[in-house]
Amino acid sequence: MSSEVRFTDFKSDKQPTWCPGCGDFGTMNGMMKALANTGNDPDNTFLVAGIGCSGKIGTYMHSYALHGVHGRALPVATGVKMARPDIEVMAAGGDGDGYSIGAGHFVHAVRRNVDMTYVVMDNRIYGLTKGQASPTSRSDFETSTTPEGPQQPPVNPLALALAAGATFIAQSFASDALRHAEIIEEAIEHDGFGFVNVFSPCVTFNDVDTYDYFRDTLVDLEEEGHDRHDLEAAKEVILDADKEYQGVMYQNENSVPYHEQHGVTENMADIPDGAPENAMDLVREFY
Amino acid sequence: MTEDLNWAIGGEAGDGIDSTGKIFAQALSRAGRHVFTSKDFASRIRGGYTAYKIRTSTDRVQSVVDRLDILVALTQRTIDENLDELHEGSAVIYDGERSWDAEIPDEITAVDVPLKTLAEEAGGAIMLNVVALGAACEITGFDVEYLDESLEKRFGGKGSKIVENNREAARKGRDYVRENYDFDLGYELDTTDNDYVLLNGDEAIGMGALAAGCRFYAGYPITPATNVMEYLTGRIEQYGGHVVQAEDELSAINMALGGARAGARSMTATSGPGIDLMTETFGLVATSETPLVIVDVMRSGPSTGMPTKQEQGDLNMTLYGGHGEIPRFVVAPTTIDECFWKTVEAFNYAEKYQTPVYVVADLALAVTEQTFSPETFDMDAVEIDRGTLVDDDSIGEWLDEQGRFRAHAATEDGISPRAIPGTTDGAHMSTGLEHDELGRRTEDTEVRVEQVDKRNRKVETAKAEEDWDYREFGDEDAENLVISWGSNEGALVEALEYLEDEGIDVRILSVPYIFPRPDLTDDVEAAEDVIVVECNATGQFADVIEHDTLTRVKRVNKYTGVRFKADELADAISTKLSEEVPAQ
Ligand SMILES: Cc1ncc(C[n+]2csc(CCOP(=O)(O)OP(=O)(O)O)c2C)c(N)n1
Ligand code: SF4
């Protein structure tokens, strides 16, 4: 099937209920294109989605999918990959989902280096609950629950990933369709945890981190001649507080994904009709 | 009961109490004797009293009693803690050369053995417990050679020299008693030709999971469930499976959910506090109709409670936990061998009915070991039912006109087809949101009702199709009915003898199914007096029985953190029987 797959095959027949102009449209289109371009098809792809406007992506895309509870997409995706190393696994959600309630799982999925692609639609706000501060909101960003701004520095997800030992760290912009799809494609092809933070503007609740803002400020690492295999160079751009970048910040050439490190190679869905052969050996251990 | 011998070793945590007890227990079971062990341990690694008790007989033993015949005491506290269980025929083995002056009641035979010195002579002070084992062998007329195999098992990995030294240490203990003491307490440990296996409930659960084809396990360490994970680690790989130690229980259950949705038989195990954390996802598992086995090895709660103590306090939690209304199965093994078989059953229920299944065991089952004949775990009898798993060929009938897979088809029996990733045309969405047949979010009132009913119908189907039985002991015509769940069965069955001596006839029902469960209305109505026995303060199972049968029952509850003993239970039952029946 894969040779004939087009990106629209990954589209479900549900019309998105995202606000017109929401960045999540562009994020999703890029994901579908990247999946098709890397030779995947819906019946061999598993998408795990978080909770939030972003998490609705599982409904609008067509594949095997699970829309879970808030913040827990990564553990689910990890379980899927363990059971089925043969399946392409993607996880997607928002910045609140991934870096607030799910922050613990983020760190551990990164350090396990599970072979999956994790796309975070970072709009620097809680969209679905109608506009509260998120972990990536600026410290002076006024919202209904932070009338004077959160008064604390935003999380730097790229630095968090770096500190946790990430093997692939990238950032893209939902509206730069071509580059965004390219970057997701690279994350899919990476052997290990491919992490992409996507600037995906919320046109309803965030009037600071807008399309115009990113269009004006974003620096493309490709054009800068950045060496993604150079850890020091990666640290520099990731910790640069003055500029916003898109592109692949870091990729570890020697990345060995979790399932290969641990010899997890079998399709665990296949089991015998009764107890496995030599099962009585399990009993005899207790002699 | 004259065949019985009750032996214990006690000291400080870190003194090797556990492994010494295990060596003796294994030796006894290899000698064809039945063994039942219990552990008394505090929630700390070093320091703190800890004891390992063995009851052994040529007959089957399945409970603890209030009697101790041979006690190996490494500390005074060991003697003090067990004073009321010692009797005139007891012997206490201790080391008089150690700094403490053992205070042992006069009528009890004190056996002073220079454990440490003899151990040093055999190659190292660390073997002093094994010297004590040798001494115990001599007192009880049990051949030291029976220890050899279990010493090999325990120390084989450390080299043959270590094994040899330990064998020597045991013999030194035996010889010392032989040469310095001349008493006969009348113990004789007969041996038989039987070959028994010795295992605990956690191990039985792990073994059941492997037999049932469990391939993926995710968990987070917690007493007393960790042994399940430790058992599976290193073994599940032999069957192509994998264990992940997750970062917390939220992650563990979500990983297991992922494994299950991907088609693997998956499991997680935890104890009360972990169940609390898993509860949100539990609802998701049920709503997305994912087959998942969740083991709750209960310890004393609430909160972190008493981590190393027995309780049956999570019944309500597993039966009712979670917001909204959640269809689920709850099975609760009553014996260690049932830990195996109910785990196998749990996987079948999970896949057949596409629901979460709780396997609820209690600490007393999890940590006590018992002997069984190997055939108890007859692997040929393991059946696997994967339910309505569709493949490329059979999926056709479940596609709608537009070729979309009806993953949550509202069938008559409530059971929908299941397609795992890779099945052509099976791609579909699963969600914790209310959804239609295709798995797509909906708030349509009709669809909502249809899906709720559909999920609940699975339970009705299961109630009708499966055998939700109980086990019965005692006199089937007795007017007195005792109902029990979980690990109390063994002690209850032995309590029958004590009650008989008092002229009290009882009928005992031991119920391994909490939900669905057998309908006990007729049994309750036929009885004069009904007592529900359980290790919790409020009588959670008694509430359920009252609810089902619309009849008031009496309650025997124990929530000290210690399991019921047979003689104590007999007393409690006979006292309860003489009390008036509560008002209807
Ligand atoms: C346990 C739990 N707490 C709170 C919520 C409510 N909730 C839903 S989405 C959300 C935040 C979403 O923010 P983000 O991840 O940034 O996604 P966005 O909507 O902006 O795409 C919250 C708090 C929930 N569903 N579950
Ligand atoms: S509220 Fe914001 S994030 Fe949510 S759909 Fe609308 S624009 Fe997108």
Side-chain angles (χ1 to χ4, degrees):
Chain A
M1 179 170 178
S2 57
S3 56
E4 311 137 33
V5 172
R6 288 174 313 150
F7 92 93
T8 47
D9 292 333
F10 284 97
K11 218 171 159 62
S12 84
D13 52 8
K14 265 268 192 201
Q15 281 309 309
T17 55
W18 287 319
C19 308
C22 174
D24 294 351
F25 285 100
T27 308
M28 179 170 80
N29 282 336
M31 286 168 67
M32 294 191 296
K33 276 196 189 118
L35 277 167
N37 289 348
T38 47
N40 293 292
D41 70 63
D43 288 334
N44 286 295
T45 303
F46 203 114
L47 171 67
V48 187
I51 294 284
C53 295
S54 46
K56 292 181 178 178
I57 191 166
T59 313
Y60 310 139
M61 279 176 65
H62 176 62
S63 72
Y64 282 90
L66 185 111
H67 183 214
V69 293
H70 196 23
R72 319 290 168 208
L74 290 175
V76 176
T78 301
V80 172
K81 191 68 194 181
M82 291 303 101
R84 300 294 298 278
D86 56 319
I87 291 288
E88 188 63 40
V89 180
M90 276 210 152
D95 40 298
D97 189 75
Y99 311 141
S100 195
I101 192 166
H105 305 313
F106 176 57
V107 169
H108 292 279
V110 166
R111 67 183 262 265
R112 282 191 192 101
N113 201 26
V114 179
D115 191 13
M116 64 163 93
T117 304
Y118 182 36
V119 178
V120 178
M121 297 170 231
D122 185 358
N123 53 14
R124 299 180 171 173
I125 187 112
Y126 282 13
L128 193 68
T129 48
K130 301 194 176 4
Q132 300 77 28
S134 99
T136 49
S137 295
R138 294 157 192 258
S139 64
D140 58 355
F141 185 64
E142 295 167 16
T143 75
S144 59
T145 51
T146 56
E148 285 163 26
Q151 310 272 350
Q152 44 196 317
V155 154
N156 177 342
L158 308 173
L160 209 55
L162 188 77
T167 56
F168 185 97
I169 306 173
Q171 193 153 260
S172 68
F173 176 32
S175 119
D176 191 344
L178 210 63
R179 284 292 283 134
H180 167 62
E182 263 171 24
I183 291 167
I184 302 281
E185 212 174 303
E186 291 206 55
I188 292 174
E189 278 172 345
H190 174 70
D191 286 331
F193 192 83
F195 166 51
V196 187
N197 190 64
V198 184
F199 293 128
S200 184
C202 171
V203 292
T204 306
F205 297 111
N206 192 332
D207 52 10
V208 179
D209 302 290
T210 59
Y211 285 101
D212 282 345
Y213 164 75
F214 287 113
R215 235 174 250 133
D216 292 347
T217 52
L218 217 50
V219 177
D220 197 301
L221 290 171
E222 199 93 322
E223 288 161 17
E224 297 278 293
H226 172 71
D227 179 2
R228 65 169 73 176
H229 302 306
D230 179 345
L231 187 62
E232 289 308 316
K235 278 184 200 162
E236 216 162 283
V237 291
I238 285 172
L239 296 176
D240 186 346
D242 300 326
K243 282 192 200 142
E244 312 259 23
Y245 295 94
Q246 73 172 355
V248 181
M249 274 94 196
Y250 180 64
Q251 182 167 21
N252 184 335
E253 291 167 289
N254 305 315
S255 167
V256 182
Y258 181 98
H259 68 278
E260 282 179 23
Q261 281 176 49
H262 292 265
V264 183
T265 52
E266 300 200 20
N267 175 343
M268 295 183 193
D270 295 336
I271 60 165
D273 286 341
E277 257 177 69
N278 303 329
M280 274 318 274
D281 290 351
L282 294 170
V283 182
R284 288 195 199 95
E285 278 184 63
F286 292 105
Y287 270 137
Chain B
M1 296 234 191
T2 46
E3 286 283 339
D4 265 31
L5 180 89
N6 292 281
W7 174 96
I9 181 167
E12 298 227 327
D15 278 348
I17 302 297
D18 237 42
S19 60
T20 313
K22 181 110 185 179
I23 288 165
F24 196 40
Q26 275 172 342
L28 289 161
S29 82
R30 295 306 291 141
R33 293 185 62 84
H34 273 293
V35 167
F36 185 90
T37 76
S38 60
K39 290 175 196 172
D40 206 351
F41 59 108
S43 183
R44 46 200 281 196
I45 303 308
R46 282 217 148 260
Y49 171 69
T50 159
Y52 187 106
K53 296 187 174 179
I54 295 176
R55 184 173 165 204
T56 174
S57 171
T58 47
D59 293 336
R60 195 150 176 266
V61 277
Q62 47 190 339
S63 77
V64 281
V65 286
D66 279 329
R67 199 181 87 233
L68 205 47
D69 304 314
I70 312 287
L71 174 64
V72 177
L74 300 183
T75 56
Q76 179 62 37
R77 179 147 181 219
T78 310
I79 299 170
D80 298 343
E81 290 274 347
N82 295 286
L83 264 188
D84 57 344
E85 299 195 356
L86 295 170
H87 55 96
E88 270 179 41
S90 301
V92 176
I93 299 168
Y94 68 106
D95 186 346
E97 286 182 2
R98 306 262 308 279
S99 53
W100 53 286
D101 275 326
E103 289 168 29
I104 304 170
D106 288 342
E107 65 276 17
I108 287 157
T109 306
V111 187
D112 181 355
V113 183
L115 301 175
K116 193 164 167 227
T117 307
L118 292 175
E120 276 163 355
E121 283 171 25
I126 193 159
M127 297 182 294
L128 67 91
N129 294 356
V130 178
V131 176
L133 282 183
C137 286
E138 179 62 17
I139 299 169
T140 55
F142 186 65
D143 199 328
V144 153
E145 282 180 14
Y146 283 112
L147 295 177
D148 289 352
E149 210 178 320
S150 29
L151 287 170
E152 165 76 39
K153 203 166 172 164
R154 177 81 181 92
F155 299 112
K158 297 184 175 170
S160 56
K161 179 83 184 127
I162 304 279
V163 176
E164 261 328 299
N165 289 352
N166 274 281
R167 289 177 177 165
E168 175 64 17
R171 281 160 179 80
K172 281 190 181 293
R174 174 197 61 189
D175 294 346
Y176 187 87
V177 173
R178 201 174 268 180
E179 286 154 21
N180 294 281
Y181 287 92
D182 183 22
F183 59 82
D184 185 1
L185 298 172
Y187 296 113
E188 195 76 57
L189 290 190
D190 289 345
T191 58
T192 76
D193 291 335
N194 295 325
D195 268 334
Y196 294 127
V197 293
L198 178 76
L199 74 171
N200 69 29
D202 272 349
E203 290 163 340
I205 288 168
M207 196 166 83
L210 289 183
C214 174
R215 291 288 180 272
F216 183 61
Y217 177 95
Y220 188 75
I222 185 169
T223 304
T226 311
N227 278 338
V228 176
M229 185 168 174
E230 288 177 343
Y231 175 82
L232 289 173
T233 303
R235 286 189 180 78
I236 204 169
E237 290 83 358
Q238 295 163 20
Y239 302 95
H242 186 62
V243 169
V244 177
Q245 179 172 324
E247 55 274 21
D248 54 36
E249 288 84 353
L250 301 156
S251 177
I253 189 172
N254 278 283
M255 282 185 187
L257 161 70
R261 282 231 73 88
R265 285 196 152 190
S266 304
M267 182 169 96
T268 183
T270 184
S271 189
I275 293 290
D276 288 349
L277 291 181
M278 290 181 178
T279 303
E280 185 195 22
T281 300
F282 179 78
L284 167 65
V285 175
T287 311
S288 63
E289 304 196 76
T290 307
L292 190 64
V293 176
I294 303 160
V295 179
D296 175 16
V297 186
M298 295 177 288
R299 62 190 215 180
S300 293
S303 190
T304 28
M306 298 194 288
T308 60
K309 299 296 175 190
Q310 159 71 354
E311 200 161 279
Q312 298 176 297
D314 298 355
L315 185 145
N316 286 344
M317 176 70 189
T318 49
L319 192 50
Y320 307 116
H323 67 281
E325 296 167 311
I326 306 177
R328 72 193 75 203
F329 293 172
V330 185
V331 299
T334 57
T335 56
I336 290 167
D337 48 321
E338 266 200 351
C339 286
F340 175 87
W341 288 109
K342 294 299 170 216
T343 303
V344 174
E345 265 180 46
F347 278 100
N348 286 338
Y349 296 145
E351 288 204 317
K352 250 174 109 172
Y353 299 100
Q354 299 174 45
T355 45
V357 180
Y358 273 125
V359 174
V360 182
D362 49 54
L363 178 134
L365 283 177
V367 306
T368 45
E369 293 139 315
Q370 201 179 338
T371 35
F372 297 92
S373 57
E375 301 79 59
T376 313
F377 307 101
D378 175 12
M379 292 289 176
D380 290 335
V382 170
E383 283 173 19
I384 287 177
D385 187 344
R386 305 214 63 186
T388 53
L389 209 50
V390 297
D391 57 21
D392 287 4
D393 299 324
S394 61
I395 197 169
E397 61 175 298
W398 295 103
L399 303 180
D400 70 3
E401 312 82 64
Q402 278 114 308
R404 300 173 303 192
F405 179 55
R406 295 164 57 219
H408 301 278
T411 55
E412 215 160 287
D413 59 6
I415 301 166
S416 306
R418 186 160 68 104
I420 59 169
T423 310
T424 307
D425 297 331
H428 68 279
M429 166 80 177
S430 316
T431 173
L433 291 165
E434 192 53 88
H435 46 260
D436 62 14
E437 288 197 335
L438 302 174
R440 306 185 308 179
R441 177 200 187 136
T442 183
E443 287 174 2
D444 179 293
T445 51
E446 271 174 44
V447 177
R448 156 73 177 175
V449 171
E450 180 184 71
Q451 285 294 321
V452 171
D453 289 348
K454 172 223 135 54
R455 292 192 293 265
N456 287 335
R457 220 154 45 234
K458 294 191 287 189
V459 176
E460 295 313 311
T461 303
K463 276 183 183 168
E465 267 188 22
E466 313 285 341
D467 210 4
W468 307 102
D469 219 348
Y470 51 72
R471 273 192 297 181
E472 185 164 354
F473 304 91
D475 174 3
E476 58 179 279
D477 299 317
E479 293 179 339
N480 306 311
L481 180 67
V482 177
I483 302 173
S484 156
W485 67 287
S487 66
N488 314 316
E489 178 186 304
L492 260 179
V493 170
E494 297 210 351
L496 275 176
E497 281 184 47
Y498 296 88
L499 289 165
E500 241 166 52
D501 290 347
E502 282 190 62
I504 300 172
D505 282 343
V506 295
R507 176 179 181 222
I508 293 172
L509 307 184
S510 176
V511 185
Y513 300 110
I514 308 296
F515 193 83
R517 57 182 169 263
D519 183 355
L520 301 181
T521 313
D522 290 345
D523 307 273
V524 166
E525 281 177 359
E528 189 77 19
D529 250 341
V530 182
I531 298 177
V532 179
V533 166
E534 54 194 314
C535 286
N536 55 45
T538 57
Q540 298 180 21
F541 197 51
D543 288 344
V544 163
I545 301 288
E546 286 186 347
H547 165 275
D548 286 359
T549 63
L550 299 178
T551 304
R552 285 269 179 202
V553 298
K554 292 176 173 176
R555 295 157 194 241
V556 168
N557 302 87
K558 184 170 181 183
Y559 44 97
T560 56
V562 181
R563 66 185 300 160
F564 282 113
K565 292 176 180 166
D567 34 7
E568 156 197 66
L569 203 41
D571 277 351
I573 288 170
S574 88
T575 311
K576 263 292 155 193
L577 285 175
S578 60
E579 281 176 16
E580 240 168 71
V581 187
Q584 292 289 322

